């Protein structure tokens, strides 16, 4: 298995996502917008955006089981997502540990802590989207298509599977991401996911 790793400048997060993570419903007021934009700039400056990924075959030893590297699962929802796929990309993306320190340092000002946390979550999503777009270009050049990315912790593909992403991608060494309490990624603004690769575009 070949593991690739990359670093990126901080991407621009979707401000609507920032507001959503802040719990805003409808149009954000001017005070909230100012707080959010200030937090976004701070997070972008502090983030160290890194990813690592690999491409793996999917093995189906029976009708209910998927084997992807060291992952063996009977997840019904993941199987549905990967129907028709022969391979997947697995990846892990992180903003680095400075963001956790920034959130902790703002804890005595809850509104600022919330804005920083929300900005970091939206920036993590933007980082995943950036990698996703690059992988889409790679596979398109082969005449293949990607499925929506799927993370551990969704439905019946539980957080316990996070350890496989960490182990297979050797993330403590490659991008500084480890596990805490057996299932939680640290730094906390880190995401693991897999993306199915198919010969046919999924029809809606």
């Amino acid at each position: 298995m070949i593991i690739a790793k990359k670093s990126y400048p901080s991407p621009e997060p979707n401000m609507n996502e920032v507001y959503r993570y802040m719990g805003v419903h409808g149009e954000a007021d001017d005070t909230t917008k100012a707080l959010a934009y200030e937090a976004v700039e701070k997070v972008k400056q502090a983030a160290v955006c890194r990813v690592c990924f690999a491409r793996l075959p999917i093995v189906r030893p029976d009708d209910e089981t998927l084997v992807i590297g060291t992952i063996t699962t009977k997840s019904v929802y993941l199987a549905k997502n990967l129907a028709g796929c022969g391979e997947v990309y697995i990846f892990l993306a992180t903003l680095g540990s400075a963001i956790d320190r920034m959130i902790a340092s703002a804890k005595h000002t809850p509104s600022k802590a919330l804005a920083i946390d929300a900005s970091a979550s939206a920036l993590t999503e933007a980082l995943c989207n950036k990698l996703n777009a690059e992988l889409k270009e790679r596979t398109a050049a082969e005449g293949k298509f990607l499925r929506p990315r799927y993370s551990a912790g969704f439905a019946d593909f539980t957080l316990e599977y996070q350890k496989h992403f960490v182990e297979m991608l050797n993330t403590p060494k490659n991008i500084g991401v480890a596990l805490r309490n057996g299932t939680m990624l640290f730094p906390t603004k880190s995401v693991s996911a897999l993306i199915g690769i198919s010969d046919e575009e999924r029809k809606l």
Side-chain angles (χ1 to χ4, degrees), residues 24-120:
V24 174
H25 301 285
E27 179 70 18
D29 60 33
D30 290 343
T31 301
T32 300
K33 288 181 179 180
L35 188 64
Y37 275 97
E38 180 183 2
V40 164
E41 289 307 311
K42 288 182 178 179
V43 167
K44 285 171 57 182
Q45 291 176 18
V48 179
C49 299
R50 294 185 289 178
V51 303
C52 61
F53 59 93
R55 187 167 173 168
L56 297 172
I58 301 172
V59 178
R60 295 177 171 85
D62 56 55
D63 291 340
E64 297 180 348
T65 308
L66 297 175
V67 179
I68 302 165
T70 62
I71 295 171
T72 299
T73 179
K74 294 183 183 294
S75 167
V76 173
Y77 291 96
L78 180 59
K80 184 177 180 180
N81 177 277
L82 297 179
C85 297
E87 297 177 281
V88 296
Y89 283 113
I90 63 168
F91 77 84
L92 205 148
T94 186
L95 302 189
S97 58
I99 304 301
D100 290 285
R101 294 194 294 271
M102 182 181 292
I103 294 169
S105 68
K107 65 181 180 181
H108 297 299
T109 311
S111 59
K112 288 186 177 181
L114 174 63
I116 291 169
D117 189 281
S119 298

Side-chain angles (χ1 to χ4, degrees), residues 12-204:
E12 290 292 335
N14 184 320
M15 292 306 299
N16 288 330
E17 287 290 295
V18 177
Y19 301 143
R20 182 174 67 83
Y21 284 121
M22 291 177 71
V24 174
H25 301 285
E27 179 70 18
D29 60 33
D30 290 343
T31 301
T32 300
K33 288 181 179 180
L35 188 64
Y37 275 97
E38 180 183 2
V40 164
E41 289 307 311
K42 288 182 178 179
V43 167
K44 285 171 57 182
Q45 291 176 18
V48 179
C49 299
R50 294 185 289 178
V51 303
C52 61
F53 59 93
R55 187 167 173 168
L56 297 172
I58 301 172
V59 178
R60 295 177 171 85
D62 56 55
D63 291 340
E64 297 180 348
T65 308
L66 297 175
V67 179
I68 302 165
T70 62
I71 295 171
T72 299
T73 179
K74 294 183 183 294
S75 167
V76 173
Y77 291 96
L78 180 59
K80 184 177 180 180
N81 177 277
L82 297 179
C85 297
E87 297 177 281
V88 296
Y89 283 113
I90 63 168
F91 77 84
L92 205 148
T94 186
L95 302 189
S97 58
I99 304 301
D100 290 285
R101 294 194 294 271
M102 182 181 292
I103 294 169
S105 68
K107 65 181 180 181
H108 297 299
T109 311
S111 59
K112 288 186 177 181
L114 174 63
I116 291 169
D117 189 281
S119 298
S121 294
L123 186 62
T124 306
E125 182 74 9
L127 176 60
C128 292
N129 289 342
K130 188 171 183 63
L131 175 62
N132 212 141
E134 290 187 6
L135 297 179
K136 184 177 181 179
E137 286 186 7
R138 289 188 182 204
T139 49
E142 304 170 21
K144 296 180 183 291
F145 303 89
L146 294 185
R147 297 294 170 79
R149 63 178 179 263
Y150 198 104
S151 290
F154 181 77
D156 57 349
F157 189 56
T158 61
L159 283 174
E160 282 72 16
Y161 289 100
Q162 298 249 63
K163 66 180 181 182
H164 296 282
F165 291 85
V166 170
E167 291 169 356
M168 285 192 285
L169 295 170
N170 195 10
T171 59
K173 176 182 177 181
N174 285 323
I175 58 171
V177 177
L179 281 181
R180 285 189 173 176
N181 301 320
T183 60
M184 304 305 295
L185 297 174
F186 183 83
T188 59
K189 296 307 177 183
S190 304
V191 171
S192 65
L194 49 81
I195 309 170
I197 304 168
S198 176
D199 291 332
E200 297 182 358
E201 189 171 14
R202 173 173 281 176
K203 304 300 181 183
L204 298 178

